[in-house]
Amino acid sequence: MTLPDIGYLELVYVLLPVVLVGVIFYRWSIPLSDLVIATVRMVVQLIAIGFVLVYLFTTDNWLLGLAVLSFMLLVSSWIALRPIKDKNLRHFIQLVASLALGCGSVLALIIVAVLHLDTWYQPRYVIPLAGMLLANTMNSLSLAGERLDSELLISQPPEQARNKAFNTAMIPQINSLLAVGLVALPGMMTGQILSGVSPLLAVRYQIVIMATILCSAAFSVAIYLSLRLKAQLNSHKD
């Protein structure tokens, strides 16, 4: 089954509502620069990665793969830090460590115990999986960091602030689990079914994806909040 062609005119149509979003930003006195930069970067980055993936998916060089995964880790940590007030090197390192441990452990489990790949690095599997885990988890970390700062600002006890931050970060993940199959029809699953894969096999793949996204987010957020609170307690002692 072939996909309908999307031309440049159709892209213009789909980007027109973005202009209306910009109007809302402007009218409600929200900085418009973030929306403009994010939209332009999205288009440029997708065009660029389209060409890069053609090469990456044809090479099994694990050193190159490790470099790509490291770059993705650093960028996702930097993006997670963006909406949080406390921006410094130590905080960035905390985010990097949280993403590496949380997402890395779950990704290793998939590669070793679920997919049974002949070699650990097969780019057509590892890169998309790592991208999904990092992208979802960085959003959870941003929510956790922002909520933790808000709770501590109103002098909530550290453990209570941590618990509320964790709960806030997990709301999108829990909502996704509740909505899948009823409201949301995942693109990966439907794409596999349309390409001729057995629906039951496609469902099993989607269960793996949903469970790993949930766990990587939960593990990373728990590690991150623990590191943040430990660092703050140490700074108070000093």
Side-chain angles (χ1 to χ4, degrees):
M1 181 177 180
T2 59
L3 293 173
D5 182 53
I6 297 177
Y8 294 109
L9 182 61
E10 286 77 14
L11 283 180
V12 172
Y13 289 153
V14 81
L15 289 175
L16 282 177
V18 178
V19 178
L20 297 180
V21 175
V23 172
I24 297 173
F25 270 63
Y26 177 76
R27 293 292 298 273
W28 290 4
S29 301
I30 300 172
L32 194 58
S33 58
D34 286 348
L35 175 65
V36 174
I37 293 172
T39 303
V40 172
R41 277 187 51 178
M42 177 268 294
V43 173
V44 173
Q45 289 166 187
L46 285 177
I47 293 173
I49 198 62
F51 291 102
V52 172
L53 287 179
V54 171
Y55 172 74
L56 289 179
F57 283 5
T58 57
T59 177
D60 291 331
N61 186 332
W62 69 269
L63 286 175
L64 177 60
L66 192 60
V68 171
L69 294 177
S70 299
F71 175 76
M72 294 167 65
L73 173 65
L74 294 175
V75 171
S76 57
S77 301
W78 174 66
I79 295 174
L81 183 63
R82 185 187 65 84
I84 304 174
K85 293 181 180 179
D86 184 16
K87 293 180 175 65
N88 54 59
L89 181 59
R90 183 174 66 176
H91 196 174
F92 177 73
I93 292 174
Q94 290 171 350
L95 289 166
V96 172
S98 302
L99 281 167
L101 292 172
C103 294
S105 60
V106 175
L107 182 63
L109 175 67
I110 301 174
I111 293 172
V112 174
V114 178
L115 296 181
H116 305 292
L117 302 180
D118 295 331
T119 58
W120 80 266
Y121 180 66
Q122 293 188 26
R124 64 183 180 275
Y125 297 111
V126 175
I127 291 178
L129 285 171
M132 282 187 283
L133 296 182
L134 289 170
N136 283 274
T137 302
M138 74 179 186
N139 292 330
S140 296
L141 287 173
S142 291
L143 291 172
E146 197 279 333
R147 183 60 185 268
L148 181 67
D149 289 342
S150 299
E151 293 296 325
L152 293 176
L153 189 63
I154 60 175
S155 301
Q156 288 282 9
E159 288 189 2
Q160 187 173 343
R162 178 202 62 191
N163 296 348
K164 289 186 176 181
F166 183 83
N167 182 59
T168 298
M170 295 308 296
I171 287 174
Q173 308 301 337
I174 300 298
N175 284 352
S176 295
L177 296 184
L178 293 172
V180 68
L182 297 177
V183 179
L185 297 177
M188 176 183 174
M189 185 181 74
T190 54
Q192 286 180 319
I193 293 173
L194 289 174
S195 65
V197 173
S198 164
L200 293 179
L201 178 58
V203 166
R204 291 199 294 272
Y205 264 92
Q206 193 59 47
I207 291 173
V208 169
I209 296 300
M210 299 297 292
T212 52
I213 288 175
L214 171 73
C215 294
S216 63
F219 296 159
S220 295
V221 169
I223 294 168
Y224 166 69
L225 292 174
S226 299
L227 291 174
R228 281 289 306 279
L229 289 181
K230 183 178 180 181
Q232 289 193 353
L233 289 174
N234 290 336
S235 64
H236 290 323
K237 290 179 181 179
D238 296 338

